[in-house]
Amino acid sequence: MLILCTGATGLVGHNFVRAAADAGHKVLALCGKNSLPDIKNVESKKCELLDEYALQRAVLDIFPDAIVNCAAIASPSNVDANPELAEKLNAGLPERLAQLAHHVGARFVHLSTDMVFDGSAAPYKNTDIPMPYNLYGTTKLMAEKKVLKISAPTTVVLRISHVMGNSLLGKTSFHEKLLRAWSSGERLSMPDNEIKRPLSALRLADILVEICERPNLSGIYHYAGLESVSKFQMAARIARHFNLDPDEFLENKPLARDADLSLDISCLAARIKGRSCMFDEILPELSVPEDIVPWLKSKTGISPVRRFKL
């Protein structure tokens, strides 16, 4: 299978590209300012995703069997800071990709978010009516409606929760940001009333590969971890995993409103082979960025174990 992936250097995109290549598929990875290392079965290409001609050329040059959209402005604060760009990337780009996928007869897999809900009635099923409480969720809901309107029978919208894993540059995932802040002497405030079901980037990547391989799947599905955890609990358990004292590095600062965005994944789980996992099963997958290792060793007296995917 030939797969085109946008956002290929992001946390989800990078892990997906590797998983698809490992599964024997050929991948055209569209990248922005960052570049992928050499990966067997993967061709990396710079592409300005908001340049409609460049995007169309990338698709029509290869006529992919599937297009997987991992590109987005995924930070709510960044969306609020630049709403026009966010609407173009989070809603306009998926619509254009869906049109191109329909034109070349490709399956289209689009990543959405648990933030299409407001956090007041969890756990959320994929059939529940969305009600975003921020602009980020609104742009992602706009995208869902646009792509499904174009070709619902060949499109999968996958709503996901908080993704945990190792990013390409070791700077963008949750545990990497925590370790970097702590190594700089920061004590962070985290809410104990913002709840999600964190998931493994590695397992998500494998699920996306399986979805690409399953033409019988279409529509909206949810994928998340099996355990509801607050952001404060996530950070505390990550600290303990790396032999750090959470009390030294964290303080609880609740949000003004409770928000439980736990997703019910039973509909997708009944249709795929891949399984999700509990939070503690994700922790061994997390690596310490190389430049943070000396600080962590000086702090704990323990050298982090380097982990390799076999």
Side-chain angles (χ1 to χ4, degrees):
M1 178 180 288
L2 178 56
I3 302 172
L4 183 146
C5 175
T6 60
T9 59
L11 175 58
V12 176
H14 172 231
N15 281 278
F16 166 70
V17 166
R18 287 190 174 276
D22 287 345
H25 301 297
K26 293 184 178 181
V27 182
L28 175 62
L30 299 188
C31 307
K33 61 181 180 180
N34 297 318
S35 299
L36 286 174
D38 290 338
I39 305 171
K40 184 180 179 181
N41 292 331
V42 176
E43 178 188 349
S44 180
K45 180 177 182 178
K46 294 282 187 180
C47 182
E48 172 50 61
L49 295 179
L50 295 183
D51 181 335
E52 289 195 12
Y53 176 78
L55 187 65
Q56 176 178 302
R57 190 73 271 152
V59 174
L60 297 184
D61 278 349
I62 65 168
F63 267 64
D65 300 299
I67 296 175
V68 178
N69 180 36
C70 300
I73 297 180
S75 166
S77 60
N78 289 342
V79 170
D80 291 339
N82 201 335
E84 291 185 8
L85 179 60
E87 183 173 346
K88 290 178 182 178
L89 274 171
N90 291 0
L93 173 63
E95 180 180 28
R96 182 59 178 149
L97 287 169
Q99 291 169 342
L100 289 168
H102 183 61
H103 178 72
V104 300
R107 285 174 55 68
F108 182 54
V109 182
H110 172 67
L111 291 179
S112 190
T113 175
D114 52 9
M115 292 189 193
V116 297
F117 300 108
D118 65 3
S120 65
Y124 290 99
K125 296 182 178 180
N126 54 322
T127 53
D128 288 337
I129 298 175
M131 187 176 294
Y133 71 95
N134 59 21
L135 184 58
Y136 169 62
T138 300
T139 62
K140 298 297 281 186
L141 181 58
M142 289 168 58
E144 291 185 8
K145 294 180 177 180
K146 288 175 181 289
V147 302
L148 289 171
K149 183 177 180 180
I150 292 166
S151 183
T154 57
T155 298
V156 170
V157 170
L158 187 65
R159 295 175 182 152
I160 57 176
S161 189
H162 183 99
V163 182
M164 293 181 57
N166 304 308
S167 68
L168 180 63
L169 300 179
K171 296 180 180 180
T172 56
S173 72
F174 186 55
H175 82 281
E176 293 163 351
K177 290 179 179 179
L178 290 177
L179 290 172
R180 291 188 180 282
W182 293 339
S183 68
S184 299
E186 295 184 50
R187 190 166 188 261
L188 301 176
S189 298
M190 296 283 168
D192 66 355
N193 61 342
E194 180 184 3
I195 298 170
K196 292 175 175 272
R197 289 186 175 169
L199 66 150
S200 157
L202 293 177
R203 291 175 188 257
L204 172 59
D206 289 339
I207 294 298
L208 289 171
V209 173
E210 185 176 352
I211 289 174
C212 288
E213 297 170 341
R214 299 278 297 277
N216 59 316
L217 286 176
S218 63
I220 297 174
Y221 294 97
H222 289 175
Y223 184 69
L226 300 177
E227 183 179 357
S228 295
V229 188
S230 75
K231 199 168 185 179
F232 177 81
Q233 291 169 334
M234 286 186 227
R237 289 166 73 172
I238 289 170
R240 284 191 288 269
H241 174 72
F242 290 111
N243 298 292
L244 298 170
D245 180 4
D247 293 336
E248 180 180 352
F249 295 101
L250 289 169
E251 64 179 358
N252 177 27
K253 186 178 181 181
L255 299 177
R257 60 185 292 275
D258 293 346
D260 185 345
L261 294 169
S262 299
L263 297 178
D264 180 329
I265 67 170
S266 58
C267 183
L268 181 63
R271 291 166 169 79
I272 59 174
K273 296 178 181 178
R275 60 174 291 271
S276 188
C277 65
M278 302 294 285
F279 187 84
D280 284 346
E281 294 179 79
I282 304 173
L283 294 174
E285 300 174 359
L286 307 182
S287 298
V288 179
E290 288 292 328
D291 58 320
I292 304 296
V293 169
W295 168 81
L296 188 60
K297 185 177 180 180
S298 69
K299 190 71 179 175
T300 65
I302 301 173
S303 295
V305 177
R306 295 190 67 186
R307 304 186 185 279
F308 299 92
K309 185 177 180 182
L310 300 178

